């Protein structure tokens, strides 16, 4: 039974930092894509950052230079270091694991990934 557990969300002031962490359990392979996605109230879910099975990382333009994605294959974790946060970053953040194709690593649709976490709230004021 595969589980994704997210942690690290919270409230922070503009300009502050947070690190989100996603831990995957129950999945035997270490070579799989993962991503962080977010959904703000009244908006569609959007990709934040993704890493494909070869380790190539892609960032949304809105977070380039501010967010850093790190995958630890030994620990099955995916961390998202978020710096210089703004109110526009306020959203529920979701971790996803095992996309059906590396081309889907930044695809926000439910069908692109096999597993999704429950989400962790990030609020920037």
């Amino acid at each position: 039974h595969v589980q994704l557990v997210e942690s690290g969300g919270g409230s922070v002031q503009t300009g502050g930092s947070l690190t989100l962490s996603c831990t995957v359990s129950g999945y035997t392979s270490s070579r799989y894509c993962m991503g962080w996605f977010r959904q703000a109230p009244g908006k569609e879910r959007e990709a934040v950052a993704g890493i494909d099975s070869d380790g190539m990382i892609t960032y949304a333009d809105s977070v380039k230079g501010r967010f850093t994605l790190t995958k630890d294959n030994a620990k099955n974790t995916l961390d998202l270091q978020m710096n210089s946060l703004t109110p526009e970053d306020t959203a529920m953040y979701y971790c996803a694991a095992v996309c059906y194709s590396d081309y889907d690593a930044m695809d926000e649709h439910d069908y692109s990934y096999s597993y999704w976490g429950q989400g962790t709230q990030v609020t920037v004021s």
Side-chain angles (χ1 to χ4, degrees):
H1 177 60
V2 177
Q3 280 190 309
L4 274 62
V5 178
E6 300 122 329
S7 62
S11 297
V12 66
Q13 292 187 334
T14 297
S17 299
L18 283 173
T19 298
L20 305 183
S21 186
C22 175
T23 302
V24 180
S25 61
Y27 195 74
T28 56
S29 173
S30 62
R31 193 167 179 271
Y32 53 90
C33 59
M34 292 187 73
W36 279 100
F37 299 81
R38 67 187 181 186
Q39 187 166 19
K43 294 187 177 181
E44 298 290 320
R45 185 163 62 196
E46 63 177 1
V48 176
I51 181 168
D52 68 17
S53 60
D54 291 325
M56 179 176 292
I57 295 174
T58 303
Y59 295 97
D61 288 343
S62 59
V63 306
K64 281 180 182 177
R66 301 188 298 123
F67 290 11
T68 302
L69 190 69
T70 306
K71 187 171 186 276
D72 188 325
N73 290 329
K75 296 181 180 179
N76 282 342
T77 59
L78 184 72
D79 289 349
L80 183 68
Q81 171 70 42
M82 306 186 294
N83 298 324
S84 303
L85 287 162
T86 73
E88 287 68 39
D89 296 314
T90 294
M92 184 69 78
Y93 283 69
Y94 298 92
C95 175
V98 190
C99 57
Y100 292 102
S101 163
D102 277 345
Y103 295 108
D104 293 333
M106 290 288 281
D107 191 317
E108 72 279 9
H109 296 98
D110 285 345
Y111 54 70
S112 295
Y113 276 86
S114 297
Y115 308 103
W116 291 84
Q118 293 299 307
T120 185
Q121 178 68 37
V122 172
T123 302
V124 186
S125 59

